[in-house]
Amino acid sequence: MKSLSVALIQQKCSSSREENIIKTEKMIREASASGAQLVVLQELHTTTYFCQVESPALFDLAESIPGPTTTLMGQLAKELAVVIVASLFERRAAGLYHNTAVVFEIDGSIAGTYRKMHIPDDPGFFEKFYFTPGDLGFNPIKTSVGTLGVLVCWDQWYPEAARLMALAGADLLIYPTAIGWDSCDTEEEQRRQYDAWVIVQRGHAVANGLPLLAVNRVGFECSQQQHADEGIQFWGGSFAVGPQGEILAEAAQENEEILLLNIDLARCEQVRRVWPFLRDRRIDEYNDLLKRFRD
Amino acid sequence: MKSLSVALIQQKCSSSREENIIKTEKMIREASASGAQLVVLQELHTTTYFCQVESPALFDLAESIPGPTTTLMGQLAKELAVVIVASLFERRAAGLYHNTAVVFEIDGSIAGTYRKMHIPDDPGFFEKFYFTPGDLGFNPIKTSVGTLGVLVCWDQWYPEAARLMALAGADLLIYPTAIGWDSCDTEEEQRRQYDAWVIVQRGHAVANGLPLLAVNRVGFECSQQQHADEGIQFWGGSFAVGPQGEILAEAAQENEEILLLNIDLARCEQVRRVWPFLRDRRIDEYNDLLKRFRD
């Protein structure tokens, strides 16, 4: 366990899959040339955030695993000897699709996959139409650079998800994400939402004594269905924090960026000695966490 | 459900119980005169933070419930028609003590008690010597001003505790606290600890869509055993946040203070409609939260 060089790749996406893939590959190569050992991509990086509308035709965007994107990512991981966390719209069978993160080992093999467990659904984010809730559980993925607690977007609001990853020995929490502002909201509300998004994830880092990476999409994407100025302004702001929730690095809110930093994986041991939260959990009194509501 | 006027009372304590009680009473009267309907006191407000050392003689500081402090607080609650959250070193039986919060109704009766569930123990905070872990579970207390999710200090680092209170219908999370800096730590480490303390609690507010009050002790208390300059600098900084974790009010880090503010209890409904986290919890996959570790 030592210092790990990581890169968070925050990009804009167009409706051209080819354009997106070419850009991602270019950024991965740049990150690797800068020394990154672990590269994390944003949620659904090969496409626009298509869940702004519900359309059966959009299932055409999905692909199988293995498939063209995993083949390319595996080749890149091997050629550059980096671990890559990618995020795909997975077609598992006719009528069965998932929002899936895939982790590639430095030999090009798939180290593991995680299917998004918590699926949101609200105006502009119609994910329950597209994604079947994950059935692989909350299990971190072992790689040569550490055990990665990979979760996806909406999962980031759930302390349960982060805790289960920590309890399974994750060295790092990782969230590929696609979140942004609705232009109908006031500036105040937009600020509160952005802050809440940062805070809740920093809170997971603190509660579990783990470093955390959040990689978010950036740029405006129109909803395709209505007026050209309607859509989501993805707020970028990808960030990395240490095991006390301290900000280590933060990307811009408007531009594409490769956010590079070193993470000291050994600090978790020191922090947890001072704040040994895992020691004192009242597992004898947590049963009701398995209930929908205590009524 | 409407606007609730609350007061957080942040005070310094001396070794004189009488002095502490007189001061607390004065501050409660002042808060009430300013319109407070709910007054929250800090952890163990009748004494210094005696857990800096382990000494059997210090069990003399404990008192029964009902006892002198609950009698006084009940009288004050009734006279001023305020709900009071107090915090006591409870003597339940010989050799059986708890760190207990007591909530008083506006008729002077005890609305409910909460015995601190998570007990810390680290240098300067030898709580496992004094306090038996609570056996009343994580149950919010119903009062005329709302259902209060009262937790105590070390509980504030546990997302499980906040979640269980939210699932049981709490309108508000409340943390009487005694936390401070060890002067041996670097300024950087002190800053990280303070920020982590604020962040993890703001995270609970976000994850549960609930307002939250944290009331902390302030001032230096020497450890009584060693040199006069050794001890804990309690960092004050009592604060209140709304259901998106947004800061509503924040007290000083060095001085006693009555922090007054209004809380809009109806906002929870709006916030949870936009971010309905409770809807999507994967209770079918949370079983391992009941394990110590997933190994």
Side-chain angles (χ1 to χ4, degrees):
Chain A
M1 299 277 272
K2 40 170 190 185
S3 179
L4 176 67
S5 173
V6 306
L8 287 63
I9 293 189
Q10 166 178 307
Q11 61 176 103
K12 294 181 186 177
C13 288
S14 76
S15 55
S16 159
R17 182 180 179 278
E18 201 190 340
E19 253 180 48
N20 297 329
I21 290 272
I22 288 170
K23 190 195 286 178
T24 305
E25 177 174 342
K26 190 167 161 279
M27 291 173 96
I28 293 173
R29 289 184 182 281
E30 214 176 308
S32 167
S34 302
Q37 302 163 276
L38 169 66
V39 175
V40 183
L41 305 177
Q42 70 201 28
E43 187 183 17
L44 302 171
H45 48 83
T46 67
T47 62
T48 55
Y49 181 73
F50 53 85
C51 313
Q52 289 200 59
V53 293
E54 293 196 2
S55 162
L58 291 174
F59 284 101
D60 284 343
L61 296 172
E63 55 178 300
S64 58
I65 297 175
T69 301
T70 62
T71 300
L72 173 68
M73 290 294 155
Q75 284 166 352
L76 270 175
K78 186 174 180 182
E79 178 194 335
L80 305 172
V82 292
V83 171
I84 298 176
V85 179
S87 164
L88 296 176
F89 183 18
E90 178 192 3
R91 183 188 184 282
R92 190 173 174 189
L96 185 57
Y97 299 79
H98 296 284
N99 184 326
T100 305
V102 186
V103 179
F104 299 87
E105 192 40 277
I106 56 172
D107 64 0
S109 66
I110 291 180
T113 57
Y114 168 82
R115 293 192 178 120
K116 187 172 183 175
M117 293 288 283
H118 300 99
I119 307 294
D121 199 281
D122 55 275
F125 295 83
F126 299 108
E127 296 200 15
K128 287 196 195 294
F129 176 69
Y130 294 102
F131 309 128
T132 303
D135 58 353
L136 297 176
F138 298 96
N139 295 303
I141 295 167
K142 287 198 181 170
T143 74
S144 55
V145 297
T147 300
L148 309 182
V150 178
L151 294 157
V152 177
C153 205
W154 192 238
D155 294 324
Q156 73 209 349
W157 302 97
Y158 291 84
E160 293 92 343
R163 181 68 98 201
L164 286 165
M165 288 296 188
L167 292 178
D171 295 316
L172 199 56
L173 297 170
I174 297 177
Y175 296 89
T177 297
I179 192 169
W181 290 298
D182 178 340
S183 53
C184 299
D185 281 329
T186 64
E187 213 170 295
E188 244 187 10
E189 173 64 16
Q190 291 186 359
R191 175 54 43 194
R192 278 197 301 267
Q193 291 188 2
Y194 179 83
D195 288 348
W197 174 74
V198 174
I199 287 159
V200 78
Q201 292 179 85
R202 292 177 69 188
H204 302 329
V206 174
N208 295 290
L210 282 180
L212 180 153
L213 311 176
V215 186
N216 190 31
R217 179 180 292 256
V218 73
F220 178 77
E221 294 182 16
C222 92
S223 66
Q224 316 260 356
Q225 218 180 28
Q226 301 154 335
H227 308 294
D229 61 342
E230 285 184 8
I232 302 173
Q233 178 69 44
F234 292 94
W235 64 46
S238 301
F239 66 89
V241 301
Q244 286 170 309
E246 73 278 20
I247 300 269
L248 300 176
E250 210 168 0
Q253 288 178 29
E254 311 242 317
N255 303 317
E256 301 192 319
E257 193 168 332
I258 301 172
L259 190 66
L260 285 159
L261 74 150
N262 288 309
I263 291 193
D264 177 1
L265 290 177
R267 261 203 81 227
C268 164
E269 176 74 27
Q270 303 153 26
V271 168
R272 287 192 185 171
R273 286 184 188 194
V274 178
W275 283 340
F277 304 138
L278 297 187
R279 181 192 64 192
D280 297 329
R281 294 177 69 241
R282 290 297 302 272
I283 53 175
D284 57 322
E285 289 285 348
Y286 289 168
N287 296 55
D288 281 2
L289 291 173
L290 306 184
K291 289 189 179 165
R292 182 65 62 209
F293 203 66
R294 301 172 67 196
D295 50 7
Chain B
M1 298 280 269
K2 42 171 190 192
S3 179
L4 176 67
S5 173
V6 305
L8 287 63
I9 295 190
Q10 166 177 306
Q11 62 177 104
K12 293 180 185 180
C13 288
S14 76
S15 57
S16 159
R17 182 180 180 280
E18 202 191 340
E19 254 181 47
N20 297 329
I21 290 273
I22 287 170
K23 190 196 286 180
T24 306
E25 177 174 342
K26 190 166 161 278
M27 292 172 95
I28 293 174
R29 287 185 183 280
E30 216 176 306
S32 167
S34 302
Q37 302 163 276
L38 169 65
V39 176
V40 184
L41 306 177
Q42 71 201 30
E43 188 183 16
L44 302 170
H45 49 82
T46 68
T47 62
T48 56
Y49 181 73
F50 53 85
C51 313
Q52 288 200 58
V53 294
E54 293 196 2
S55 162
L58 290 174
F59 285 101
D60 285 344
L61 296 173
E63 55 178 300
S64 58
I65 297 175
T69 301
T70 62
T71 300
L72 173 67
M73 290 294 155
Q75 284 166 354
L76 270 175
K78 185 175 181 180
E79 179 194 334
L80 305 172
V82 291
V83 170
I84 299 175
V85 179
S87 164
L88 297 175
F89 184 17
E90 177 191 5
R91 184 190 183 282
R92 188 172 175 189
L96 186 56
Y97 299 79
H98 295 283
N99 184 326
T100 304
V102 187
V103 179
F104 299 89
E105 195 36 279
I106 57 172
D107 64 0
S109 65
I110 291 179
T113 57
Y114 168 81
R115 292 190 179 123
K116 187 173 182 174
M117 294 288 281
H118 300 99
I119 307 296
D121 199 280
D122 55 274
F125 296 82
F126 298 108
E127 296 200 16
K128 287 196 195 295
F129 177 70
Y130 294 103
F131 308 130
T132 303
D135 58 353
L136 298 177
F138 298 96
N139 294 303
I141 295 167
K142 287 197 178 172
T143 75
S144 55
V145 297
T147 301
L148 309 182
V150 178
L151 294 157
V152 177
C153 206
W154 193 237
D155 293 323
Q156 73 208 348
W157 302 97
Y158 291 84
E160 292 93 342
R163 180 68 97 201
L164 286 165
M165 288 297 188
L167 292 179
D171 295 315
L172 199 57
L173 297 170
I174 298 177
Y175 295 89
T177 298
I179 191 167
W181 289 298
D182 178 341
S183 52
C184 298
D185 280 329
T186 62
E187 212 169 292
E188 243 186 11
E189 171 65 17
Q190 292 186 359
R191 175 54 43 192
R192 277 196 302 267
Q193 291 188 2
Y194 179 84
D195 287 347
W197 174 74
V198 174
I199 286 159
V200 78
Q201 291 179 85
R202 291 177 69 188
H204 302 330
V206 174
N208 296 290
L210 283 180
L212 179 154
L213 311 175
V215 187
N216 190 32
R217 179 180 292 257
V218 74
F220 179 77
E221 294 181 16
C222 92
S223 66
Q224 317 259 354
Q225 218 181 27
Q226 303 156 330
H227 308 292
D229 61 343
E230 286 185 7
I232 302 173
Q233 178 69 42
F234 292 95
W235 65 44
S238 300
F239 66 89
V241 301
Q244 285 170 307
E246 72 278 22
I247 300 269
L248 301 175
E250 211 167 2
Q253 288 178 30
E254 312 242 316
N255 303 316
E256 299 189 321
E257 193 167 331
I258 301 172
L259 190 67
L260 285 158
L261 75 150
N262 289 310
I263 291 193
D264 177 2
L265 290 178
R267 260 203 84 226
C268 164
E269 176 73 26
Q270 302 154 25
V271 168
R272 286 191 184 171
R273 285 186 188 193
V274 179
W275 285 337
F277 305 137
L278 297 187
R279 181 191 63 190
D280 297 328
R281 293 176 70 241
R282 290 296 303 270
I283 53 175
D284 56 323
E285 289 284 347
Y286 289 168
N287 295 56
D288 281 2
L289 291 172
L290 307 183
K291 289 189 178 164
R292 181 65 62 211
F293 203 67
R294 300 172 68 196
D295 51 5

mmCIF file of all heavy atoms in Angstrom, chain B residues 97-123:
data_model
loop_
_atom_site.group_PDB
_atom_site.id
_atom_site.type_symbol
_atom_site.label_atom_id
_atom_site.label_comp_id
_atom_site.label_asym_id
_atom_site.label_seq_id
_atom_site.Cartn_x
_atom_site.Cartn_y
_atom_site.Cartn_z
ATOM 1 N N TYR B 97 -24.179 2.791 34.484
ATOM 2 C CA TYR B 97 -24.318 4.220 34.178
ATOM 3 C C TYR B 97 -24.475 4.416 32.671
ATOM 4 O O TYR B 97 -23.967 3.626 31.879
ATOM 5 C CB TYR B 97 -23.078 4.975 34.649
ATOM 6 C CG TYR B 97 -22.840 4.875 36.140
ATOM 7 C CD1 TYR B 97 -22.268 3.728 36.704
ATOM 8 C CD2 TYR B 97 -23.169 5.931 36.990
ATOM 9 C CE1 TYR B 97 -22.053 3.634 38.071
ATOM 10 C CE2 TYR B 97 -22.946 5.845 38.354
ATOM 11 C CZ TYR B 97 -22.389 4.689 38.892
ATOM 12 O OH TYR B 97 -22.174 4.609 40.244
ATOM 13 N N HIS B 98 -25.176 5.490 32.307
ATOM 14 C CA HIS B 98 -25.360 5.790 30.879
ATOM 15 C C HIS B 98 -25.112 7.275 30.617
ATOM 16 O O HIS B 98 -25.155 8.104 31.530
ATOM 17 C CB HIS B 98 -26.792 5.467 30.439
ATOM 18 C CG HIS B 98 -27.159 4.019 30.516
ATOM 19 N ND1 HIS B 98 -26.754 3.095 29.590
ATOM 20 C CD2 HIS B 98 -27.916 3.332 31.420
ATOM 21 C CE1 HIS B 98 -27.239 1.904 29.901
ATOM 22 N NE2 HIS B 98 -27.951 2.014 31.004
ATOM 23 N N ASN B 99 -24.911 7.572 29.346
ATOM 24 C CA ASN B 99 -24.844 8.947 28.863
ATOM 25 C C ASN B 99 -26.196 9.188 28.194
ATOM 26 O O ASN B 99 -26.448 8.695 27.095
ATOM 27 C CB ASN B 99 -23.689 9.053 27.861
ATOM 28 C CG ASN B 99 -23.459 10.469 27.372
ATOM 29 O OD1 ASN B 99 -24.400 11.236 27.226
ATOM 30 N ND2 ASN B 99 -22.208 10.794 27.092
ATOM 31 N N THR B 100 -27.055 9.944 28.868
ATOM 32 C CA THR B 100 -28.482 9.938 28.520
ATOM 33 C C THR B 100 -29.020 11.322 28.203
ATOM 34 O O THR B 100 -28.788 12.279 28.950
ATOM 35 C CB THR B 100 -29.280 9.324 29.695
ATOM 36 O OG1 THR B 100 -28.747 8.023 29.979
ATOM 37 C CG2 THR B 100 -30.763 9.202 29.366
ATOM 38 N N ALA B 101 -29.736 11.404 27.105
ATOM 39 C CA ALA B 101 -30.446 12.641 26.781
ATOM 40 C C ALA B 101 -31.882 12.512 27.286
ATOM 41 O O ALA B 101 -32.491 11.448 27.175
ATOM 42 C CB ALA B 101 -30.434 12.877 25.274
ATOM 43 N N VAL B 102 -32.392 13.596 27.871
ATOM 44 C CA VAL B 102 -33.757 13.594 28.388
ATOM 45 C C VAL B 102 -34.513 14.752 27.738
ATOM 46 O O VAL B 102 -34.027 15.882 27.710
ATOM 47 C CB VAL B 102 -33.781 13.765 29.922
ATOM 48 C CG1 VAL B 102 -35.206 13.595 30.455
ATOM 49 C CG2 VAL B 102 -32.836 12.776 30.582
ATOM 50 N N VAL B 103 -35.691 14.453 27.205
ATOM 51 C CA VAL B 103 -36.489 15.484 26.545
ATOM 52 C C VAL B 103 -37.707 15.820 27.405
ATOM 53 O O VAL B 103 -38.437 14.918 27.843
ATOM 54 C CB VAL B 103 -36.945 15.000 25.147
ATOM 55 C CG1 VAL B 103 -37.805 16.073 24.467
ATOM 56 C CG2 VAL B 103 -35.729 14.662 24.284
ATOM 57 N N PHE B 104 -37.889 17.120 27.668
ATOM 58 C CA PHE B 104 -38.989 17.591 28.516
ATOM 59 C C PHE B 104 -40.071 18.255 27.687
ATOM 60 O O PHE B 104 -39.782 19.083 26.819
ATOM 61 C CB PHE B 104 -38.456 18.582 29.562
ATOM 62 C CG PHE B 104 -37.434 17.957 30.457
ATOM 63 C CD1 PHE B 104 -36.086 17.974 30.117
ATOM 64 C CD2 PHE B 104 -37.818 17.313 31.625
ATOM 65 C CE1 PHE B 104 -35.140 17.364 30.922
ATOM 66 C CE2 PHE B 104 -36.875 16.690 32.439
ATOM 67 C CZ PHE B 104 -35.532 16.718 32.079
ATOM 68 N N GLU B 105 -41.298 17.887 27.983
ATOM 69 C CA GLU B 105 -42.464 18.447 27.300
ATOM 70 C C GLU B 105 -42.829 19.787 27.967
ATOM 71 O O GLU B 105 -42.354 20.109 29.072
ATOM 72 C CB GLU B 105 -43.601 17.426 27.391
ATOM 73 C CG GLU B 105 -44.778 17.618 26.484
ATOM 74 C CD GLU B 105 -44.483 18.168 25.098
ATOM 75 O OE1 GLU B 105 -44.332 19.406 24.972
ATOM 76 O OE2 GLU B 105 -44.429 17.376 24.142
ATOM 77 N N ILE B 106 -43.657 20.578 27.295
ATOM 78 C CA ILE B 106 -43.996 21.911 27.817
ATOM 79 C C ILE B 106 -44.874 21.855 29.074
ATOM 80 O O ILE B 106 -45.059 22.873 29.740
ATOM 81 C CB ILE B 106 -44.706 22.792 26.749
ATOM 82 C CG1 ILE B 106 -45.975 22.099 26.218
ATOM 83 C CG2 ILE B 106 -43.770 23.107 25.597
ATOM 84 C CD1 ILE B 106 -46.812 22.992 25.312
ATOM 85 N N ASP B 107 -45.362 20.667 29.423
ATOM 86 C CA ASP B 107 -46.088 20.541 30.702
ATOM 87 C C ASP B 107 -45.154 20.100 31.825
ATOM 88 O O ASP B 107 -45.589 19.807 32.931
ATOM 89 C CB ASP B 107 -47.258 19.560 30.553
ATOM 90 C CG ASP B 107 -46.780 18.143 30.238
ATOM 91 O OD1 ASP B 107 -45.550 17.921 30.141
ATOM 92 O OD2 ASP B 107 -47.636 17.260 30.078
ATOM 93 N N GLY B 108 -43.857 20.034 31.521
ATOM 94 C CA GLY B 108 -42.874 19.668 32.543
ATOM 95 C C GLY B 108 -42.602 18.175 32.641
ATOM 96 O O GLY B 108 -41.672 17.754 33.346
ATOM 97 N N SER B 109 -43.366 17.370 31.950
ATOM 98 C CA SER B 109 -43.153 15.916 32.009
ATOM 99 C C SER B 109 -41.964 15.507 31.126
ATOM 100 O O SER B 109 -41.536 16.271 30.248
ATOM 101 C CB SER B 109 -44.415 15.191 31.529
ATOM 102 O OG SER B 109 -44.639 15.467 30.155
ATOM 103 N N ILE B 110 -41.479 14.312 31.384
ATOM 104 C CA ILE B 110 -40.425 13.762 30.522
ATOM 105 C C ILE B 110 -41.085 13.120 29.304
ATOM 106 O O ILE B 110 -41.845 12.160 29.431
ATOM 107 C CB ILE B 110 -39.568 12.732 31.293
ATOM 108 C CG1 ILE B 110 -38.725 13.450 32.369
ATOM 109 C CG2 ILE B 110 -38.660 11.960 30.335
ATOM 110 C CD1 ILE B 110 -37.845 12.536 33.210
ATOM 111 N N ALA B 111 -40.786 13.664 28.118
ATOM 112 C CA ALA B 111 -41.383 13.134 26.885
ATOM 113 C C ALA B 111 -40.698 11.835 26.473
ATOM 114 O O ALA B 111 -41.313 10.962 25.858
ATOM 115 C CB ALA B 111 -41.259 14.162 25.756
ATOM 116 N N GLY B 112 -39.432 11.714 26.823
ATOM 117 C CA GLY B 112 -38.698 10.501 26.470
ATOM 118 C C GLY B 112 -37.218 10.644 26.784
ATOM 119 O O GLY B 112 -36.721 11.747 27.057
ATOM 120 N N THR B 113 -36.527 9.516 26.790
ATOM 121 C CA THR B 113 -35.079 9.537 27.018
ATOM 122 C C THR B 113 -34.393 8.734 25.912
ATOM 123 O O THR B 113 -34.994 7.863 25.293
ATOM 124 C CB THR B 113 -34.701 8.906 28.380
ATOM 125 O OG1 THR B 113 -35.206 7.572 28.425
ATOM 126 C CG2 THR B 113 -35.283 9.701 29.534
ATOM 127 N N TYR B 114 -33.122 9.054 25.679
ATOM 128 C CA TYR B 114 -32.292 8.330 24.723
ATOM 129 C C TYR B 114 -30.949 8.065 25.391
ATOM 130 O O TYR B 114 -30.299 8.995 25.884
ATOM 131 C CB TYR B 114 -32.092 9.143 23.439
ATOM 132 C CG TYR B 114 -31.013 8.564 22.560
ATOM 133 C CD1 TYR B 114 -31.284 7.484 21.718
ATOM 134 C CD2 TYR B 114 -29.708 9.049 22.616
ATOM 135 C CE1 TYR B 114 -30.278 6.912 20.949
ATOM 136 C CE2 TYR B 114 -28.701 8.485 21.848
ATOM 137 C CZ TYR B 114 -28.996 7.422 21.018
ATOM 138 O OH TYR B 114 -28.001 6.847 20.267
ATOM 139 N N ARG B 115 -30.567 6.815 25.444
ATOM 140 C CA ARG B 115 -29.260 6.474 26.009
ATOM 141 C C ARG B 115 -28.255 6.266 24.882
ATOM 142 O O ARG B 115 -28.436 5.384 24.045
ATOM 143 C CB ARG B 115 -29.364 5.199 26.857
ATOM 144 C CG ARG B 115 -30.183 5.398 28.115
ATOM 145 C CD ARG B 115 -30.058 4.192 29.044
ATOM 146 N NE ARG B 115 -30.819 4.400 30.261
ATOM 147 C CZ ARG B 115 -31.794 3.596 30.705
ATOM 148 N NH1 ARG B 115 -32.109 2.503 30.021
ATOM 149 N NH2 ARG B 115 -32.418 3.859 31.830
ATOM 150 N N LYS B 116 -27.202 7.071 24.902
ATOM 151 C CA LYS B 116 -26.158 7.048 23.860
ATOM 152 C C LYS B 116 -25.800 5.615 23.488
ATOM 153 O O LYS B 116 -25.409 4.816 24.335
ATOM 154 C CB LYS B 116 -24.932 7.792 24.401
ATOM 155 C CG LYS B 116 -23.810 8.019 23.413
ATOM 156 C CD LYS B 116 -22.739 8.925 24.063
ATOM 157 C CE LYS B 116 -21.592 9.260 23.156
ATOM 158 N NZ LYS B 116 -20.666 10.256 23.779
ATOM 159 N N MET B 117 -25.915 5.319 22.207
ATOM 160 C CA MET B 117 -25.763 3.937 21.736
ATOM 161 C C MET B 117 -24.320 3.603 21.358
ATOM 162 O O MET B 117 -23.836 2.521 21.651
ATOM 163 C CB MET B 117 -26.672 3.724 20.527
ATOM 164 C CG MET B 117 -28.161 3.807 20.847
ATOM 165 S SD MET B 117 -28.756 2.368 21.782
ATOM 166 C CE MET B 117 -28.916 1.158 20.460
ATOM 167 N N HIS B 118 -23.672 4.532 20.634
ATOM 168 C CA HIS B 118 -22.273 4.317 20.248
ATOM 169 C C HIS B 118 -21.380 5.000 21.274
ATOM 170 O O HIS B 118 -21.487 6.202 21.475
ATOM 171 C CB HIS B 118 -21.999 4.896 18.862
ATOM 172 C CG HIS B 118 -22.842 4.294 17.765
ATOM 173 N ND1 HIS B 118 -23.969 4.913 17.283
ATOM 174 C CD2 HIS B 118 -22.713 3.133 17.076
ATOM 175 C CE1 HIS B 118 -24.501 4.144 16.320
ATOM 176 N NE2 HIS B 118 -23.762 3.069 16.175
ATOM 177 N N ILE B 119 -20.516 4.237 21.911
ATOM 178 C CA ILE B 119 -19.645 4.790 22.955
ATOM 179 C C ILE B 119 -18.206 4.819 22.467
ATOM 180 O O ILE B 119 -17.630 3.776 22.133
ATOM 181 C CB ILE B 119 -19.745 3.947 24.251
ATOM 182 C CG1 ILE B 119 -21.218 3.796 24.691
ATOM 183 C CG2 ILE B 119 -18.906 4.571 25.353
ATOM 184 C CD1 ILE B 119 -21.921 5.066 25.087
ATOM 185 N N PRO B 120 -17.580 6.007 22.457
ATOM 186 C CA PRO B 120 -16.193 6.103 21.982
ATOM 187 C C PRO B 120 -15.204 5.707 23.080
ATOM 188 O O PRO B 120 -15.583 5.537 24.243
ATOM 189 C CB PRO B 120 -16.046 7.591 21.673
ATOM 190 C CG PRO B 120 -16.942 8.248 22.672
ATOM 191 C CD PRO B 120 -18.117 7.308 22.869
ATOM 192 N N ASP B 121 -13.998 5.577 22.726
ATOM 193 C CA ASP B 121 -12.922 5.418 23.701
ATOM 194 C C ASP B 121 -11.613 5.648 22.985
ATOM 195 O O ASP B 121 -11.193 4.834 22.161
ATOM 196 C CB ASP B 121 -12.934 4.021 24.329
ATOM 197 C CG ASP B 121 -12.159 4.010 25.634
ATOM 198 O OD1 ASP B 121 -10.908 3.935 25.568
ATOM 199 O OD2 ASP B 121 -12.778 4.114 26.703
ATOM 200 N N ASP B 122 -11.008 6.781 23.267
ATOM 201 C CA ASP B 122 -9.671 7.047 22.762
ATOM 202 C C ASP B 122 -9.005 8.025 23.727
ATOM 203 O O ASP B 122 -9.675 8.574 24.602
ATOM 204 C CB ASP B 122 -9.721 7.545 21.312
ATOM 205 C CG ASP B 122 -10.598 8.756 21.115
ATOM 206 O OD1 ASP B 122 -11.827 8.584 20.915
ATOM 207 O OD2 ASP B 122 -10.081 9.868 21.160
ATOM 208 N N PRO B 123 -7.704 8.216 23.598
ATOM 209 C CA PRO B 123 -6.997 9.028 24.597
ATOM 210 C C PRO B 123 -7.694 10.364 24.849
ATOM 211 O O PRO B 123 -7.908 11.139 23.915
ATOM 212 C CB PRO B 123 -5.616 9.212 23.965
ATOM 213 C CG PRO B 123 -5.449 8.015 23.078
ATOM 214 C CD PRO B 123 -6.811 7.699 22.554
#
